[in-house]
């Protein structure tokens, strides 16, 4: 904990903004943790922060994470609206958490997304792999359109790592962007493992951002290492890269993500932008 604080103090920042953290109803989170801890994701994946919600919040605050998301996502129909109700309640009692919401291709999606926006949702999450849906599904057309129009970011897990899905990879989501070029998408995990293709999308669409979640950590690099020759592109897109960590669902200490980013050698201004300033501009301070 003191090392995390020392990290952002050294950069001259007021703290960190983490755009990729998870808070969910306890029974849903228990299932997510069981999936990883039982080894169903493949490699052993112990949850480093398997703690009660109050303790997880206290830790983020002790780390100096000033703003964070509460990303949650459905794996089936008839779940997103209920998750959104929980997320609104969580945001109401957690002022430093950004009000988060989600959706699924199903009848009524446009209506509950409109309701979440009206209720003040500031960030959405779409998990193409866990949801196993096609992001081009016509039931999502009005959803992407509303988010684009509202300028509200959506964290999209659409890369094929750590697990591929039927509709992961840059192809399907590139078509969504072609139809909604003003969508503020935040590509999770820097698009792992299709890093280059997702960086191309950020070049083509100025509203596309990428989060660093788990990338460059020892754990993640063992499976989907970021190609060293692409590192200069992270510098070129330095105003579009955002700190994300996957807290609390990570098999290592929080500081490891920060040290891994610092290890890229892209310098203090880049780290300041990635760990705080870019997200402050996008999501508010
Ligand atoms: Zn995540």
């Amino acid at each position: 904990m003191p090392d995390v604080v020392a990290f952002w103090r050294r950069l001259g920042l007021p703290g960190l903004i983490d755009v990729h953290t998870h808070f969910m109803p306890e029974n849903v989170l228990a299932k997510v943790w069981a999936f990883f801890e039982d080894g169903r994701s493949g490699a052993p994946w112990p949850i480093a922060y398997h703690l009660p919600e109050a303790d997880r919040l206290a830790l983020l605050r002790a780390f100096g994470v000033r703003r964070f998301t509460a990303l949650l996502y459905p794996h089936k129909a008839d779940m997103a609206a209920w998750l959104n109700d929980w997320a609104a309640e969580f945001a109401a009692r957690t002022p430093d958490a950004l009000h988060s919401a989600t959706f699924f291709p199903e009848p009524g999606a446009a209506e509950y997304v409109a309701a979440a926006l009206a209720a003040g949702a500031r960030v959405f999450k779409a998990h193409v792999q866990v949801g196993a849906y096609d992001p081009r599904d016509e039931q999502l057309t009005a959803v992407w359109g509303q988010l684009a129009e509202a300028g509200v970011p959506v964290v999209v897990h659409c890369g094929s790592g750590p697990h591929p899905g039927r509709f992961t990879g840059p192809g399907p989501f590139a078509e969504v962007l072609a139809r909604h070029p003003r969508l503020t998408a935040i590509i999770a995990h820097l698009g792992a493992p299709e890093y280059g293709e997702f960086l191309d999308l950020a070049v083509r669409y100025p509203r596309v951002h990428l989060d660093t979640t788990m990338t460059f950590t020892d754990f993640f690099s063992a499976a989907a290492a970021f190609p060293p020759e692409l590192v200069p592109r992270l510098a070129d897109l330095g105003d579009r890269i955002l700190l994300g960590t996957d807290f609390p669902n990570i098999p290592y200490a929080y500081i490891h993500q920060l040290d891994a980013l610092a290890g890229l050698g892209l310098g203090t201004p880049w780290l300041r932008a990635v760990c705080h300033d870019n997200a402050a501009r996008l999501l508010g301070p």
Side-chain angles (χ1 to χ4, degrees):
M1 186 184 324
D3 36 1
V4 175
V5 173
F7 177 89
W8 53 257
R9 284 217 175 114
R10 254 194 326 270
L11 296 174
L13 290 173
L16 303 169
I17 302 179
D18 189 335
V19 304
H20 194 133
T21 61
H22 294 287
F23 286 89
M24 305 179 186
E26 290 295 322
N27 59 330
V28 179
L29 194 55
K31 284 183 189 161
V32 172
W33 284 347
F35 174 83
F36 288 116
E37 291 178 333
D38 295 353
R40 276 177 279 160
S41 72
W45 190 314
I47 303 292
Y49 299 99
H50 190 143
L51 297 166
E53 182 185 280
D55 296 359
R56 283 179 269 123
L57 285 169
L59 260 176
L60 280 181
R61 289 165 183 155
F63 288 155
V65 179
R66 292 154 61 89
R67 305 291 276 160
F68 50 90
T69 55
L71 302 182
L72 66 189
Y73 46 86
H75 62 279
K76 58 181 186 192
D78 295 324
M79 191 177 171
W82 169 75
L83 288 174
N84 289 352
D85 288 345
W86 183 89
E89 180 266 324
F90 177 78
R93 66 182 156 86
T94 316
D96 38 357
L98 287 153
H99 183 168
S100 308
T102 191
F103 50 83
F104 192 82
E106 59 190 336
E111 286 76 16
Y112 64 67
V113 165
L117 285 169
R122 310 250 317 259
V123 62
F124 281 71
K125 165 80 172 188
H127 206 313
V128 170
Q129 185 259 323
V130 167
Y133 58 77
D134 189 334
R136 299 163 298 189
D137 189 306
E138 61 183 28
Q139 295 175 105
L140 293 179
T141 304
V143 169
W144 300 123
Q146 285 182 80
L147 295 177
E149 201 147 308
V152 169
V154 52
V155 178
V156 188
H157 185 133
C158 51
S160 302
H163 307 291
R166 241 180 103 196
F167 302 105
T168 59
F173 195 67
E175 287 185 40
V176 172
L177 286 170
R179 280 178 227 162
H180 306 277
R182 284 167 46 238
L183 183 68
T184 306
I186 301 172
I187 308 295
H189 306 287
L190 290 178
E194 294 103 344
Y195 299 105
E197 290 97 321
F198 282 107
L199 289 168
D200 289 344
L201 288 179
V203 170
R204 194 171 323 147
Y205 300 101
R207 299 296 301 166
V208 170
H209 297 63
L210 303 105
D211 80 37
T212 65
T213 304
M214 297 191 80
T215 52
F216 311 107
T217 63
D218 299 337
F219 179 83
F220 203 75
S221 296
F226 189 89
E229 66 273 19
L230 295 184
V231 169
R233 300 192 62 193
L234 298 178
D236 296 342
L237 287 165
D239 58 343
R240 243 98 58 70
I241 314 287
L242 306 165
L243 172 67
T245 62
D246 248 343
F247 177 91
N249 307 339
I250 41 177
Y252 45 74
Y254 192 88
I255 186 70
H256 180 44
Q257 176 79 65
L258 303 172
D259 287 339
L261 292 174
L264 292 171
L266 292 174
T268 296
W270 187 86
L271 285 172
R272 287 174 54 94
V274 169
C275 295
H276 180 272
D277 297 348
N278 292 342
R281 195 173 57 240
L282 190 63
L283 297 159

